[in-house]
Amino acid sequence: MPATPAPSTTAPPDGTASLGLSLRGVVKTFGALRAVDGLDLDVRAGTCLGLLGPNGAGKSTTMRLLTAQAVADEGTIEVLGFPVPEQSKQARAQMGVVPQQDNLDIELTVRQNLQVFARLYRLPRAGRNAAVERALEVAQLTGRADTRVDDLSGGMRRRLLIARALVHRPRLVLLDEPTVGLDPQVRQELWALVDALRSEGVTVLMSTHYIEEAERLADDVAVMSAGRVIAFGTPTALTVEHAGSRVLEVYGPPSRLLEVERVAAAAGLPTRRTGPAVAVLRAEAAPAAVTDALPDAVVRPSTLEDVFVLLTGEKVE
């Protein structure tokens, strides 16, 4: 994938280059619902942050606040150094947004969809065709450029949404559940595209509830629950901090799982239950009495999924 040239839009104020995004004490309510509740969040420029959380955690509302589709009731937001919503127009000129819902014009071709957005972003007329061709190449859609959107597969439409967000060479890309509803093979293709953006220094904020997606792509992960960030760090650091390095996993009937939980609790070890299994976390610190009581346990490395379930109490879909 070719390197993305520097954007031609106006640079942000001095002293803000180290952060792509910054939110402080952000609150957003909808009636009695506090969708975002005192949110503090930083995204380092040139990195990918995975915003991980169950449905209803506040991820999509946060995305809407960053694009000024919603306005915070309290707190401050800066996007690429610009205060939002006060200077949201300047910020939007330098960001690309990939929405959760497909909003492509199905009557137009792939190329025509990109041409429309190139004009909306006010790219110079002389450079529009080159920008469209570059976006087609990035999303591997050159061979489908003249295909109507209505005739594309779901995976191709998601790639087109990303290409559309990149046509003006943004410094920041917001991805709201970019692979929701896609099969594993298509998801992997889109992961490769997002990973390429990150490697080129584009700042990426990606909301997702797919654990593997955050592990695979994110430099840092923010775990959200009830409108707040409840844990932040690299995937590895979060895993070690909250789940340790090893897990003892036991499968069995409910009575056996209850017994395993009692054994772990007596030793002060956290557990998480998923379906027909109980995982005993921080197994590297388990005393001999625990390992002796669990001869049927499978030993495996801890994962970010363990952290997610432990912190949010939510099952992974």
Side-chain angles (χ1 to χ4, degrees):
M1 175 176 169
T4 302
S8 58
T9 46
T10 304
D14 292 338
T16 61
S18 62
L19 288 179
L21 296 171
S22 181
L23 298 90
R24 290 287 177 272
V26 174
V27 173
K28 180 61 183 177
T29 59
F30 298 97
L33 174 65
R34 208 169 174 90
V36 176
D37 187 14
L39 179 63
D40 293 321
L41 186 66
D42 287 335
V43 183
R44 294 177 291 131
T47 67
C48 176
L49 175 71
L51 200 58
L52 185 62
N55 292 329
K59 304 187 304 297
S60 291
T61 300
T62 300
M63 292 288 194
R64 291 175 60 83
L65 291 169
L66 292 170
T67 58
Q69 292 174 285
V71 177
D73 302 315
E74 300 175 24
T76 60
I77 301 173
E78 286 195 356
V79 177
L80 297 170
F82 297 106
V84 172
E86 294 82 0
Q87 297 185 40
S88 58
K89 185 176 294 186
Q90 294 92 323
R92 282 296 298 265
Q94 299 194 45
M95 76 168 79
V97 180
V98 180
Q100 184 177 146
Q101 297 297 323
D102 183 337
N103 59 0
L104 296 163
D105 191 326
I106 62 173
E107 296 299 322
L108 300 182
T109 67
V110 170
R111 189 191 308 278
Q112 287 168 339
N113 268 271
L114 296 178
Q115 288 171 335
V116 167
F117 267 71
R119 293 188 65 181
L120 288 175
Y121 278 108
R122 298 183 178 179
L123 294 183
R125 184 187 299 271
R128 284 178 196 163
N129 288 339
V132 167
E133 293 303 319
R134 182 180 59 250
L136 288 168
E137 182 180 352
V138 165
Q140 300 177 25
L141 288 170
T142 302
R144 292 283 190 163
D146 298 316
T147 301
R148 289 174 68 250
V149 168
D150 203 29
D151 296 326
L152 296 178
S153 67
M156 289 179 182
R157 289 172 72 139
R158 295 305 291 179
R159 292 212 304 270
L160 177 55
L161 282 169
I162 295 176
R164 191 182 69 180
L166 300 179
V167 72
H168 60 304
R169 296 175 293 177
R171 297 171 54 225
L172 166 69
V173 175
L174 305 183
L175 302 165
D176 191 4
E177 303 282 1
T179 63
V180 66
L182 299 180
D183 63 57
Q185 180 177 349
V186 175
R187 192 177 298 157
Q188 296 260 356
E189 292 174 0
L190 289 177
W191 287 355
L193 178 52
V194 175
D195 195 45
L197 288 177
R198 181 184 64 171
S199 69
E200 292 175 0
V202 177
T203 304
V204 178
L205 177 62
M206 175 185 65
S207 76
T208 182
H209 63 266
Y210 291 124
I211 311 296
E212 188 183 0
E213 197 156 78
E215 280 185 315
R216 170 78 174 268
L217 298 175
D219 297 288
D220 296 306
V221 170
V223 182
M224 284 191 73
S225 180
R228 290 177 175 267
V229 171
I230 58 174
F232 185 96
T234 67
T236 299
L238 282 177
T239 300
V240 172
E241 178 184 356
H242 295 281
S245 60
R246 284 197 304 155
V247 169
L248 296 174
E249 195 159 61
V250 178
Y251 290 80
S255 59
R256 175 56 176 156
L257 301 186
L258 283 172
E259 179 185 356
V260 172
E261 288 171 336
R262 284 195 295 267
V263 168
L269 297 174
T271 60
R272 74 154 178 110
R273 187 181 291 205
T274 304
V278 166
V280 180
L281 310 181
R282 301 190 181 282
E284 69 276 9
V290 171
T291 55
D292 290 345
L294 306 178
D296 51 341
V298 176
V299 181
R300 63 166 175 80
S302 56
T303 67
L304 193 59
E305 180 179 319
D306 296 315
V307 176
F308 179 81
V309 177
L310 180 68
L311 294 180
T312 69
E314 295 280 345
K315 295 180 180 179
V316 179
E317 297 179 359

